[in-house]
Amino acid sequence: MQAHGVYLIKHIFDWRVNMTNPRKVECKMEEPSSRTSSIASTIRYKTIHHEGKTMTDKDTSITDLFPIPSSPPSTLVPKRWPGITPESTDALREVLKDNHTRWHIFFNDSGFHNHIAHRAIANWALGAAGDLLKAGYEADSSYQRPAFGPPEQITIKNFKEHLGDRQFYQGYLAFFTDVIHEDGIAAAVEKYIFSKDVNIVPSPTGKKPDVFNRFLGGLLHPMIHIGYGLEFCLPGIVAEGLAEAAVHADSSIARLPDGFIDYANAGKSTDDTVSRFKSLLHVSPPSTKVTEEHGTHVFTVLERVLNDPELGKIEDTESGMFDYTMKNHASRIAKHIADWQVDATNPRKVERKIQELSWMNAILFGIGGWSKDRPFNADFFHMHLVTSSIFLASFVAYLKPSSQENLLRGYLLVSIGWWVSRGRPALSISDFYASTSPYPLPSGPLPNPNNDSLKAKDPTKAVTPNPWLPIIETSVVHPDDHLPKLQRALGHYASLYGTREAGEPDFVGTELKGAEKLDGTLFIRASGLAAERLGRVREEGKAGSWDRNGFYEGRNKL
């Protein structure tokens, strides 16, 4: 084991769940005594020198940081696919523990993110075998940067002084491990992402901390990382994600306009927030009738952005396109979304807004990437809008109402900012539905059903009864670590919204052209396109890659 891991010893050695304090009992965290891992529940650290002090070998349990994942906190959160076993669960926890102690959250000086936990958790949730989780870890760890101790410890006194400095990742990780130990994951996320203090109250040097902007920056990776921790109730992942947000540099923050986040209502009652939200999940879905109480639909926002000539002038700035867009156009985008309001005192309205955002980002990726004149553009950046949206429900289950509102509004602004920055591709909904298949088939050799099998009018449906199954199977063995995350999100949305028919009133009543054509097959259509573009490697297809050229045809680079 690498020597640097010893820095965390004193922060996690006595880390235990206090079952007498309800604030700390946020999810099931028991460890079955009959289960053991092939990597022991303790990890050996070597002696190193840190801050002039020698730290000796010690066996330190991190079991509580990475318990067996809990059940989903609500029906809006993805269900686990069949295939999960004790063996695959042990393998997952091995990977998460080893990654936590061995590797930095960024694997290079450009700030590219460590995705080890993302792939491992997504594939586990999709039912992948333990051997595949270990194979993914072997591939993903081959290019990681070893973790290293910070120049000094992070404390409450110097918390704001080192924000944005990647050298302090391990320091912030230890700090947040302690915070979660004391206060729990919900309180940690509230205080260190959404509070006024860590966003607009300046540091001793006069600089704004801007942690919410950091949380939504870096192509939404801090949000994604914390989202995995909340969805699966993994305190170690939440601590990593909070530390990741803290060290995101100023150059990669979301740059929401000043005043966009409202702290005036931060004192809204938090009583029973989680149970109120969960209560709506056991009844019928919200009405699709168009009423004034729902306010402006996000599809109307999309059409207004499409029709804004100023937002159609964004040029290809290569790696800086999002930063350029937000610096110059965030306030303009904010005006377009001003009528999109979130009333988080009503859990049904929150659920409706999450549904709108889920559909929007699937549309931006799937329909925005499609064109009748060229191959599907599986945009790398739009893909992250889909993979991040899946965690909105998990965040809402833990946050107080004012933070829910700020999260959803901030997330909408950043999502549209990315769409605009990529060239604001057209959304040709009618043509998309006319030209894509709601039943994508594998591209390789197909099985030959026995004559006794059920016969369908379309024989391909007897060969591939459910098109999602081969898509998921090829995703979990694909060399690209993003593909299973995308397909898990699209598959989840298909399970939630697959029954929607075209022409339902809430879509028809928006300003978005072609919205009347949208139905629940959107997600399998987009999933099939992505599967073909990235390659169905399980069926002998060659692995492809994400597209990064954007949608800037006919424009000059800056």
Side-chain angles (χ1 to χ4, degrees):
M1 180 60 63
Q2 308 257 346
H4 57 263
V6 72
Y7 179 73
L8 293 178
I9 290 175
K10 68 187 183 69
H11 298 280
I12 63 178
F13 182 63
D14 293 322
W15 200 96
R16 296 290 185 272
V17 179
N18 182 351
M19 300 302 288
T20 65
N21 186 341
R23 296 177 65 200
K24 298 174 185 176
V25 185
E26 298 173 288
C27 48
K28 183 178 180 182
M29 303 181 70
E30 293 90 347
E31 169 79 355
S33 58
S34 61
R35 296 270 303 281
T36 57
S37 173
S38 59
I39 288 182
S41 62
T42 58
I43 295 180
R44 173 72 66 179
Y45 297 85
K46 297 179 181 179
T47 302
I48 64 168
H49 295 273
H50 176 66
E51 296 180 341
K53 300 178 181 179
T54 300
M55 305 180 73
T56 57
D57 280 10
K58 186 177 288 186
D59 285 334
T60 301
S61 173
I62 58 172
T63 295
D64 289 336
L65 287 175
F66 298 96
I68 294 173
S70 296
S71 299
S74 80
T75 56
L76 292 182
V77 175
K79 292 182 175 63
R80 316 295 190 246
W81 284 66
I84 293 172
T85 65
E87 179 262 349
S88 68
T89 303
D90 284 344
L92 172 67
R93 298 177 72 198
E94 284 186 43
V95 167
L96 298 182
K97 291 175 186 179
D98 203 49
N99 175 60
H100 185 78
T101 55
R102 289 182 66 188
W103 309 118
H104 198 276
I105 202 68
F106 300 111
F107 65 78
N108 61 20
D109 290 335
S110 298
F112 288 10
H113 304 88
N114 176 340
H115 292 92
I116 285 172
H118 303 184
R119 189 214 288 257
I121 298 172
N123 275 351
W124 176 83
L126 291 172
D131 283 352
L132 284 174
L133 303 186
K134 294 176 183 178
Y137 182 47
E138 182 178 358
D140 294 340
S141 61
S142 64
Y143 54 86
Q144 299 299 324
R145 167 177 287 176
F148 52 87
E152 65 175 328
Q153 288 184 329
I154 295 298
T155 67
I156 193 66
K157 292 183 178 180
N158 69 356
F159 176 85
K160 298 179 182 179
E161 295 177 16
H162 303 296
L163 292 170
D165 190 339
R166 297 170 193 153
Q167 294 186 80
F168 285 86
Y169 168 70
Q170 289 295 114
Y172 281 105
L173 179 58
F175 174 82
F176 285 122
T177 300
D178 286 346
V179 169
I180 291 172
H181 175 206
E182 293 298 321
D183 302 326
I185 58 178
V189 173
E190 279 283 2
K191 181 175 181 179
Y192 289 99
I193 298 295
F194 294 94
S195 73
K196 180 178 181 179
D197 179 59
V198 300
N199 284 289
I200 63 176
V201 177
S203 69
T205 61
K207 185 178 179 181
K208 283 200 316 178
D210 249 349
V211 176
F212 186 57
N213 267 311
R214 300 178 196 279
F215 165 78
L216 291 176
L219 195 47
L220 296 160
H221 278 87
M223 174 190 167
I224 292 171
H225 205 99
I226 297 172
Y228 275 110
L230 295 179
E231 178 183 337
F232 296 89
C233 202
L234 297 168
I237 299 297
V238 176
E240 291 172 6
L242 289 169
E244 181 179 19
V247 298
H248 259 80
D250 294 348
S251 60
S252 67
I253 66 175
R255 299 192 183 278
L256 303 180
D258 290 340
F260 181 80
I261 297 301
D262 176 23
Y263 293 101
N265 295 318
K268 284 183 179 178
S269 174
T270 62
D271 292 344
D272 208 24
T273 298
V274 174
S275 62
R276 285 189 307 106
F277 179 69
K278 289 182 178 178
S279 68
L280 73 92
L281 303 172
H282 302 288
V283 295
S284 58
S287 170
T288 58
K289 293 180 180 179
V290 180
T291 63
E292 292 184 4
E293 68 171 345
H294 294 316
T296 300
H297 196 286
V298 76
F299 290 178
T300 293
V301 174
L302 290 180
E303 186 65 27
R304 293 174 182 177
V305 172
L306 276 168
N307 292 330
D308 186 333
E310 288 300 313
L311 297 179
K313 297 178 181 179
I314 306 300
E315 298 174 327
D316 184 4
T317 62
E318 296 180 340
S319 62
M321 72 281 189
F322 178 73
D323 191 55
Y324 171 85
T325 298
M326 297 302 281
K327 280 182 179 179
N328 293 279
H329 299 287
S331 295
R332 192 175 189 91
I333 296 171
K335 291 179 181 178
H336 286 298
I337 72 173
D339 293 335
W340 192 82
Q341 296 296 320
V342 180
D343 177 8
T345 63
N346 185 329
R348 275 196 169 280
K349 293 183 179 180
V350 173
E351 191 266 356
R352 182 183 176 89
K353 292 303 180 182
I354 292 174
Q355 180 181 160
E356 290 181 22
L357 293 169
S358 303
W359 278 84
M360 178 190 76
N361 283 345
I363 288 169
L364 297 184
F365 173 76
I367 300 179
W370 175 86
S371 170
K372 62 182 179 182
D373 300 322
R374 61 171 185 265
F376 180 65
N377 185 329
D379 188 73
F380 178 78
F381 302 90
H382 287 170
M383 170 267 294
H384 281 84
L385 302 184
V386 179
T387 60
S388 59
S389 65
I390 199 175
F391 299 112
L392 292 172
S394 292
F395 275 97
V396 163
Y398 285 90
L399 297 177
K400 63 186 181 182
S402 60
S403 298
Q404 295 176 30
E405 294 171 10
N406 289 334
L407 169 66
L408 297 181
R409 292 181 66 249
Y411 181 78
L412 172 58
L413 178 56
V414 169
S415 294
I416 292 182
W418 274 108
W419 176 45
V420 170
S421 76
R422 300 299 293 151
R424 196 186 63 179
L427 305 176
S428 303
I429 298 174
S430 296
D431 290 342
F432 173 86
Y433 271 85
S435 304
T436 58
S437 173
Y439 211 91
L441 297 172
S443 54
L446 298 175
N448 185 21
N450 185 277
N451 288 333
D452 293 335
S453 65
L454 296 178
K455 303 296 188 296
K457 290 182 180 179
D458 180 353
T460 61
K461 290 182 172 61
V463 176
T464 308
N466 183 342
W468 279 106
L469 299 181
I471 284 176
I472 296 302
E473 288 180 318
T474 198
S475 296
V476 298
V477 298
H478 200 282
D480 184 88
D481 60 316
H482 291 89
L483 187 60
K485 297 182 285 184
L486 174 75
Q487 303 295 30
R488 185 174 86 99
L490 292 172
H492 172 57
Y493 294 147
S495 70
L496 283 181
Y497 311 125
T499 60
R500 282 199 61 125
E501 298 179 352
E504 294 194 21
D506 57 332
F507 285 5
V508 174
T510 70
E511 296 176 12
L512 181 62
K513 292 181 178 62
E516 72 281 358
K517 299 287 187 180
L518 290 167
D519 68 11
T521 66
L522 167 67
F523 310 104
I524 185 60
R525 293 172 189 266
S527 178
L529 291 171
E532 292 304 319
R533 186 64 170 162
L534 271 292
R536 291 183 181 252
V537 296
R538 180 178 172 271
E539 292 88 34
E540 300 182 355
K542 182 179 179 181
S545 59
W546 301 101
D547 295 290
R548 299 170 186 262
N549 294 328
F551 305 85
Y552 307 104
E553 291 127 352
R555 303 179 189 180
N556 296 318
K557 291 186 177 182
L558 291 177

